[in-house]
């Protein structure tokens, strides 16, 4: 779980606020294939507004999928960024 704390610190250093509802390891590992921006932000320890700001600026730390007016985030990319793919057998 050290990787998650490190990423939360990185989010704070980048000017984001760490969400009070940060996700547990169990929650992270049970996410579906793609998640919405709010959920992705929680996984990264940043708020919804900061997540959308990063997407608009092209600096969100993982690829996003825009489907019409909906933005989805591939969970596998979040896991990789957080160092969790090994726990999932990736």
């Amino acid at each position: 779980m050290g990787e998650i704390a490190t990423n939360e610190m990185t989010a704070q250093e980048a000017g984001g606020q760490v969400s009070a509802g940060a996700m547990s390891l169990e929650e992270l590992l049970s996410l579906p294939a793609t998640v919405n921006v709010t959920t992705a932000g929680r996984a990264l320890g940043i708020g919804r507004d900061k997540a959308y700001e990063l997407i608009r600026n092209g600096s969100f730390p993982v690829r996003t999928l825009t489907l019409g007016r909906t933005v989805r985030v591939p969970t596998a990319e979040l896991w990789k960024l957080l160092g969790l793919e090994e726990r999932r057998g990736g």
Side-chain angles (χ1 to χ4, degrees):
M1 204 145 129
E3 294 89 1
I4 295 169
T6 300
N7 284 318
E8 288 177 0
M9 193 170 6
T10 302
Q12 286 176 331
E13 291 169 359
Q17 291 185 335
V18 174
S19 170
M23 300 184 100
S24 69
L25 179 59
E26 184 177 323
E27 287 177 298
L28 285 167
L29 295 176
S30 67
L31 292 174
T34 65
V35 295
N36 62 31
V37 174
T38 302
T39 301
R42 280 189 61 219
L44 298 173
I46 60 176
R48 175 189 168 278
D49 292 344
K50 184 64 176 183
Y52 275 108
E53 177 186 329
L54 292 171
I55 290 168
R56 278 192 304 275
N57 294 336
S59 56
F60 197 73
V62 297
R63 176 176 59 109
T64 59
L65 307 170
T66 302
L67 310 165
R69 297 182 67 199
T70 302
V71 178
R72 302 293 292 180
V73 180
T75 300
E77 294 189 23
L78 290 172
W79 288 335
K80 184 175 181 179
L81 179 68
L82 295 170
L84 298 177
E85 74 236 12
E86 298 82 25
R87 293 178 187 252
R88 293 289 300 176

